Amino acid sequence: MLLTPVDAIIAGVVLLTVATIAYGGTFMLRVVTGRQGANDLQKSFFRAGHAHAGVLVMLGLLTLLLLDAARVTGWAHGSAIGILAAAILIPAGFFLSVIGRDPQRPSGVIALVWIGFAVLTVSVVVAGIALIVVGASAA
């Protein structure tokens, strides 16, 4: 299984972004140890943002590999990019919606989470169907 040149570049860039997720882990460590001030809402949202970033980046890379291995092309192949976009949108919504000194509820930026979940849902459904179709046609 070979990645297309474009997908190899995308995968390389995405892997480099894992450094930012790792940095986020050091931020989370400061939050949970009390070295970085945060209220309970912020702690919960920071945890959710960090977890979603890591999981969705891995899911996006895995989907990219699966679609390339199955030789899925066209707009269905773009579903991997949708998953990677959700890996930005969802964590951004969690983190940015609770920025401030002592927020009691998330700001309107929380809409990024819902947009990201919609993009994620459409993307995994499209990728799943594309893989099933390719597999069924080869059988």
Side-chain angles (χ1 to χ4, degrees):
M1 166 187 64
L2 292 176
L3 282 173
T4 66
V6 170
D7 287 346
I9 292 168
I10 291 168
V13 169
V14 170
L15 284 173
L16 291 175
T17 69
V18 173
T20 64
I21 297 170
Y23 175 75
T26 64
F27 171 74
M28 283 304 307
L29 188 58
R30 288 193 312 271
V31 168
V32 298
T33 59
R35 292 187 211 149
Q36 172 70 47
N39 66 21
D40 288 340
L41 174 67
Q42 288 171 315
K43 287 178 187 176
S44 296
F45 272 53
F46 293 161
R47 281 186 187 117
H50 184 64
H52 280 86
V55 169
L56 292 175
V57 162
M58 293 302 116
L59 178 61
L61 287 172
L62 176 62
T63 304
L64 193 66
L65 288 172
L66 289 171
L67 294 173
D68 271 1
R71 294 191 170 97
V72 172
T73 59
W75 61 269
H77 188 272
S79 60
I81 302 302
I83 295 168
L84 292 169
I88 296 168
L89 292 167
I90 294 170
F94 279 123
F95 282 107
L96 298 176
S97 69
V98 293
I99 286 185
R101 199 164 269 275
D102 187 27
Q104 298 304 303
R105 50 185 256 206
S107 72
V109 180
I110 193 72
L112 290 176
V113 172
W114 297 108
I115 293 166
F117 283 147
V119 169
L120 176 64
T121 301
V122 169
S123 297
V124 296
V125 168
V126 168
I129 290 171
L131 289 169
I132 290 168
V133 167
V134 166
S137 356

